[in-house]
Amino acid sequence: MTQIDALPALSLDATLAELVEEFDLLGDWEGRIEYVIDLGKALPPLPEAARIEANKVPGCAAQVWLSTRRADGRLFFDADSDSALSKGNIALLLKLYSGRRPDEILAFDARAALDRLGLPAALTRQRANGLNNMVGRIREAAAQA
């Protein structure tokens, strides 16, 4: 079982609180963006077979692929991007959402969570829209599960 397949140790709210604390410790936006990019670097490579049009997240500044697997009533996500920042953004979302039950995903207020991290404000409008589209794709997968 890879790290991405592991069940989350903390609730969504506790995971968010941990991320907020980490972001606060980093201080300025340069450090926070660097942290997000480092999260992306830690993502396992996405298999070529998953780099298909159906897995592309529309409306992102860069190409972003997001594939979904279901196991034991939970959703697991695999993702990649050709942009370091977009890859970091999707990695941050996977940290929150991968391994969760669909009802947990749908009950979680992603917009409020991202605002608590201050992420949309630190991104260009196009990248913030892309981040919202990534969340939308994850919520869509949960709604269809």
Side-chain angles (χ1 to χ4, degrees):
M1 200 155 69
T2 66
Q3 181 187 5
I4 300 296
D5 290 336
L7 295 180
L10 302 171
S11 70
L12 257 167
D13 288 329
T15 301
L16 174 62
E18 200 174 73
L19 284 168
V20 167
E21 195 175 302
E22 288 172 14
F23 270 54
D24 287 346
L25 289 173
L26 293 167
D28 68 355
W29 273 109
E30 234 173 73
R32 293 175 184 193
I33 295 296
E34 204 173 297
Y35 172 77
V36 169
I37 289 171
D38 285 344
L39 284 177
K41 289 177 184 173
L43 273 184
L46 187 69
E48 278 304 312
R51 292 174 182 265
I52 57 174
E53 199 62 36
N55 287 341
K56 270 192 171 175
V57 179
C60 294
Q63 292 189 93
V64 177
W65 295 271
L66 178 69
S67 67
T68 307
R69 294 174 286 115
R70 292 181 183 98
D72 300 324
R74 295 177 179 270
L75 297 177
F76 295 89
F77 300 98
D78 299 297
D80 200 1
S81 176
D82 60 0
S83 152
L85 184 53
S86 292
K87 187 172 183 171
N89 284 337
I90 195 70
L92 180 81
L93 294 176
L94 296 191
K95 196 171 171 94
L96 284 168
Y97 290 115
S98 197
R100 306 280 179 191
R101 293 184 325 270
D103 61 312
E104 286 178 280
I105 293 170
L106 293 172
F108 187 69
D109 187 347
R111 189 172 305 262
L114 294 173
D115 285 344
R116 266 186 73 192
L117 293 173
L119 205 48
L123 300 171
T124 64
R125 184 175 173 173
Q126 187 176 12
R127 288 209 186 273
N129 286 341
L131 184 63
N132 285 330
N133 291 342
M134 293 175 207
V135 170
R137 180 61 73 90
I138 289 169
R139 290 182 60 80
E140 191 179 289
Q144 293 173 358

